[in-house]
Amino acid sequence: MTSKLEALTQWVKQVATLTRPAKIHWCDGSDAEYQALVQQMLADGSLIELNQQTHPGCYLHRSDPKDVARVEQLTLVCHPNQDDAGPNNHWMDPAAAHAKIDALFNGCMQGRTLYVIPYCMGPIDSPLSRCGVEITDSAYVVANMKIMTRMGAPALARIEREGSFVKGLHSTGELDPERRWIMHFPAELSIKSYGSGYGGNALLGKKCHALRIASKQARSEGWLAEHMLIVGIENPQGQTHYIAAAFPSACGKTNLSMLIPPEGYRRGGWKVWTVGDDICWMHPGADGRLYAINPEAGFFGVAPGTSDNTNPNAMKSISHDTIFTNVAVNADNQPWWEGLPGTPVTDWQGRPYDPANGPAAHPNSRFTVSVRQCPTWSEMTEAAQGVPISAIVFGGRRPSLLPLVMEARDWSHGVLMGAAMGSETTAAATGAVGVLRRDSMAMKPFCGYHYGDYFAHWLSFDRPSAKLPKIFHVNWFRKGADGKFLWPGFGENLRVLEWMINRAEGHVSGMETPIGILPAAGELNLEGLKLDRARLDALLEVDAVGWQAELNAIGNYLESFAPRLPERLRQELQRVVEALRKADAKLAPLAAAAS
Ligand code: OXD
Ligand code: MN
């Protein structure tokens, strides 16, 4: 088959000449095609059938044990000019990069099928959506792309109409970590990925296209491509506010996007609507507000820790028609991971479970499932114009210092809060876990260009005609002296989101502090929550001495983006430093008590 679009046909031919596949398959995205691929993978062992009585349509894929997470050191952004990549990216000269990776692609698909996957990121008829074509030799990638994107015939029709698309070339190669690269060429709107079958490295629509390439496109076209969930909060009056929230990988974006309101809120008529759990594209609308779409059609969620206690909606979503990767199984051949009741019998590598080998499920094991299977799925995920955003939230895992919630005084301060974000590392990327690292806007692994230019782009949205959302910073992970989390998290986070909405609507006034606006006494609804005064004080404490050190560290970090660090951000930091200096050396705990 060929395409009406000559550029696409030519590119597929060129790739086939280089990679020499046995067969070429153009994906139509149909259910029949998906089922045929599943049967083929069951036959060749790349998928294992799970218990079809308890989990109909669910399968397990075990990856190569050395191919289980994103690999940041092998992920390159190849701008013609190295300075444009910034210190936040690994860079290689585009010509050298092409030569290096094309040598690996040479003949790599011999005996394999080359799949052509046309896909659309975002609702198929939305002007905010963007299309791409991924070429891969992995049936597992095709099956995942079918769930994660709008893939197949309708996407191809749009690509042929528009004439432009992001080109992504992927081969699992030999899965040899020594022969692995994930390369981005933003100026050419292209991606080349070799040697990994792992989600973020191989499902090119996700991190590679929807974040690294799209962030660069967004900068030139005046929008934002962000590592954010999108959640709708409907109040008892039937009004829905949409919130976009950025957290680093494996910090609970999926849980927050589909949270279950606490009992009292549920009874009162509050509802939560899930639009997306990982990526958000935001465009200024004609009315000056920011409108967001979720470019994805599925969740590629972290399995461990997901349970009926932490995320019942995710559990319902993945009870059927789900691909699991690197989870364990129990005696009844059901998927199992740490945090679920029961015991595993076979670990993620297919060995009889032995605690001496570590966790039964890989800490970065995943589920791939359509967003439509989520009980809180919002019809607005299909809205061509997107949803208006009332609040932007930044957050990370911070065991100390950062309060439960604080609001930026204005947009510049909010951009500073995002730029200053830090979090303890997780298993979503290779490397040490639990180390504090700065991760501006949770985009450290995903911003396709220089962070200094990216901060300037964020600041540029602050125009006279703009009606921008308020910006907040949250920390669900603050710990007490006993080393335990102070805040219960999960569904209770709605209490904090309600405060944000009340702030956005002007119903509460908050309390100014040097670091931002915190909830004033009585403004957080704590009804029905067992949280004593001392814990609340600890959650909202502003430790001036600790903050001085923090602001110092933020300043040093931001200066690593000089000379491209916007002066406005430097001034904003200076303003906070001054405000803190004027405040008492050790502020009395700024408590907001429940009324
Ligand atoms: C993800 C990640 O897979 O951020 O979403 O690593
Ligand atoms: Mn992510």
Side-chain angles (χ1 to χ4, degrees):
M1 187 187 145
T2 56
S3 161
K4 278 190 273 187
L5 185 64
E6 189 56 22
L8 176 54
T9 304
Q10 280 311 322
W11 176 58
V12 174
K13 271 197 193 140
Q14 229 175 39
V15 170
T17 305
L18 175 66
T19 57
R20 302 197 289 284
K23 271 201 329 224
I24 298 183
H25 175 93
W26 288 68
C27 300
D28 62 17
S30 62
D31 292 341
E33 177 181 75
Y34 178 82
Q35 290 310 333
L37 284 167
V38 165
Q39 290 312 316
Q40 176 192 318
M41 286 189 279
L42 288 172
D44 71 18
S46 48
L47 281 189
I48 296 162
E49 195 166 74
L50 291 164
N51 186 328
Q52 296 298 298
Q53 266 74 53
T54 58
H55 290 74
C58 290
Y59 304 97
L60 166 63
H61 171 75
R62 293 195 182 114
S63 79
D64 183 284
K66 291 188 294 307
D67 184 32
V68 292
R70 287 183 288 100
V71 278
E72 291 179 15
Q73 69 284 7
L74 303 176
T75 301
L76 309 178
V77 176
C78 306
H79 290 281
N81 175 0
Q82 177 166 9
D83 287 347
D84 291 334
N88 46 306
N89 279 301
H90 297 285
W91 176 88
M92 197 182 282
D93 169 69
H98 280 301
K100 196 176 259 303
I101 204 163
D102 285 354
L104 299 177
F105 278 118
N106 192 356
C108 73
M109 294 190 191
Q110 287 175 71
R112 300 189 189 184
T113 300
L114 178 158
Y115 298 95
V116 183
I117 314 172
Y119 63 85
C120 177
M121 300 309 291
I124 197 82
D125 54 3
S126 167
L128 313 185
S129 302
R130 295 287 184 278
C131 292
V133 178
E134 174 166 358
I135 292 179
T136 181
D137 54 8
S138 161
Y140 167 80
V141 166
V142 180
N144 276 271
M145 286 290 283
K146 153 92 172 150
I147 298 174
M148 294 303 298
T149 71
R150 281 93 169 164
M151 179 270 253
L156 180 60
R158 177 164 172 167
I159 289 167
E160 288 172 338
R161 226 175 29 245
E162 291 182 338
S164 69
F165 59 97
V166 169
K167 294 188 180 93
L169 171 54
H170 168 256
S171 170
T172 49
E174 308 84 350
L175 297 174
D176 175 358
E178 301 297 315
R179 287 162 60 81
R180 180 175 296 162
W181 293 106
I182 296 90
M183 297 178 170
H184 304 75
F185 303 89
E188 303 164 26
L189 295 184
S190 84
I191 305 155
K192 289 183 176 176
S193 167
Y194 187 90
S196 169
Y198 173 74
N201 301 331
L203 312 179
L204 301 185
K206 192 173 180 60
K207 305 299 185 180
C208 300
H209 178 164
L211 289 175
R212 298 196 191 93
I213 298 287
S215 60
K216 179 67 180 41
Q217 264 184 316
R219 183 188 173 213
S220 354
E221 297 173 8
W223 50 282
L224 289 162
E226 298 300 323
H227 192 203
M228 292 178 176
L229 66 91
I230 308 166
V231 65
I233 309 291
E234 184 180 327
N235 67 16
Q237 292 73 48
Q239 295 150 338
T240 303
H241 282 273
Y242 293 92
I243 296 179
F247 296 84
S249 308
C251 286
K253 285 206 301 299
T254 305
N255 293 346
L256 188 61
S257 72
M258 49 185 85
L259 69 81
I260 306 256
E263 178 56 28
Y265 280 79
R266 272 205 307 277
R267 262 190 283 110
W270 289 79
K271 294 196 183 100
V272 166
W273 299 107
T274 309
V275 179
D277 80 329
D278 195 43
I279 302 182
C280 163
W281 287 356
M282 280 183 290
H283 294 245
D287 61 358
R289 298 187 72 184
L290 288 181
Y291 284 80
I293 58 165
N294 171 13
E296 300 193 281
F299 307 123
F300 182 64
V302 178
T306 307
S307 71
D308 283 332
N309 294 331
T310 62
N311 193 338
N313 281 323
M315 292 304 288
K316 288 199 186 90
S317 311
I318 61 183
S319 62
H320 64 99
D321 299 298
T322 301
I323 299 175
F324 293 91
T325 302
N326 290 339
V327 299
V329 291
N330 69 11
D332 200 22
N333 197 28
Q334 296 180 33
W336 191 93
W337 49 81
E338 278 69 18
L340 286 184
T343 42
V345 296
T346 308
D347 77 5
W348 65 278
Q349 297 190 58
R351 302 173 298 193
Y353 173 59
D354 177 354
N357 288 331
H362 188 276
N364 193 36
S365 52
R366 300 276 178 151
F367 51 78
T368 317
V369 66
S370 164
V371 290
R372 288 174 179 261
Q373 290 187 199
C374 184
T376 52
W377 174 74
S378 163
E379 280 179 13
M380 294 303 281
T381 46
E382 291 300 330
Q385 76 282 9
V387 294
I389 296 296
S390 301
I392 288 177
V393 181
F394 296 118
R397 281 177 193 270
R398 295 295 300 261
S400 61
L401 195 68
L402 274 286
L404 176 64
V405 59
M406 57 183 178
E407 178 193 325
R409 68 204 293 264
D410 58 19
W411 186 258
S412 304
H413 186 207
V415 174
L416 174 67
M417 278 183 182
M421 255 172 77
S423 192
E424 287 185 343
T425 49
T426 68
T430 52
V433 169
V435 180
L436 180 76
R437 85 161 180 177
R438 296 281 159 199
D439 188 353
S440 302
M441 281 79 171
M443 285 286 279
K444 166 72 184 65
F446 308 123
C447 178
Y449 61 101
H450 196 300
Y451 252 162
D453 296 337
Y454 172 75
F455 301 149
H457 181 50
W458 262 87
L459 290 168
S460 75
F461 285 81
D462 192 5
R463 287 186 283 261
S465 57
K467 294 199 182 62
L468 294 168
K470 283 182 174 295
I471 299 183
F472 299 84
H473 187 285
V474 299
N475 179 22
W476 317 133
F477 301 95
R478 192 157 173 171
K479 290 181 176 167
D482 57 1
K484 296 207 177 107
F485 291 117
L486 288 163
W487 179 249
F490 302 107
E492 308 297 344
N493 293 337
L494 183 57
R495 300 173 188 275
V496 177
L497 302 186
E498 185 194 6
W499 181 74
M500 294 174 187
I501 292 169
N502 282 337
R503 284 289 301 145
E505 296 228 307
H507 297 328
V508 293
S509 55
M511 176 174 55
E512 289 253 10
T513 82
I515 58 164
I517 300 159
L518 270 65
E523 286 183 357
L524 269 182
N525 174 7
L526 300 175
E527 216 177 289
L529 186 67
K530 284 198 200 73
L531 188 82
D532 61 39
R533 176 64 190 250
R535 280 166 92 86
L536 183 63
D537 287 353
L539 277 162
L540 296 171
E541 185 202 19
V542 180
D543 165 6
V545 176
W547 269 99
Q548 266 152 16
E550 171 77 358
L551 293 174
N552 217 358
I554 292 169
N556 290 339
Y557 164 73
L558 291 180
E559 287 307 325
S560 70
F561 304 107
R564 297 201 188 191
L565 180 70
E567 190 49 36
R568 203 160 129 208
L569 214 52
R570 200 178 269 129
Q571 284 166 2
E572 190 55 35
L573 178 65
Q574 218 30 58
R575 186 195 60 73
V576 182
V577 169
E578 282 305 317
L580 195 69
R581 191 169 295 150
K582 284 198 200 118
D584 291 338
K586 173 86 182 160
L587 294 176
L590 297 163
S595 48

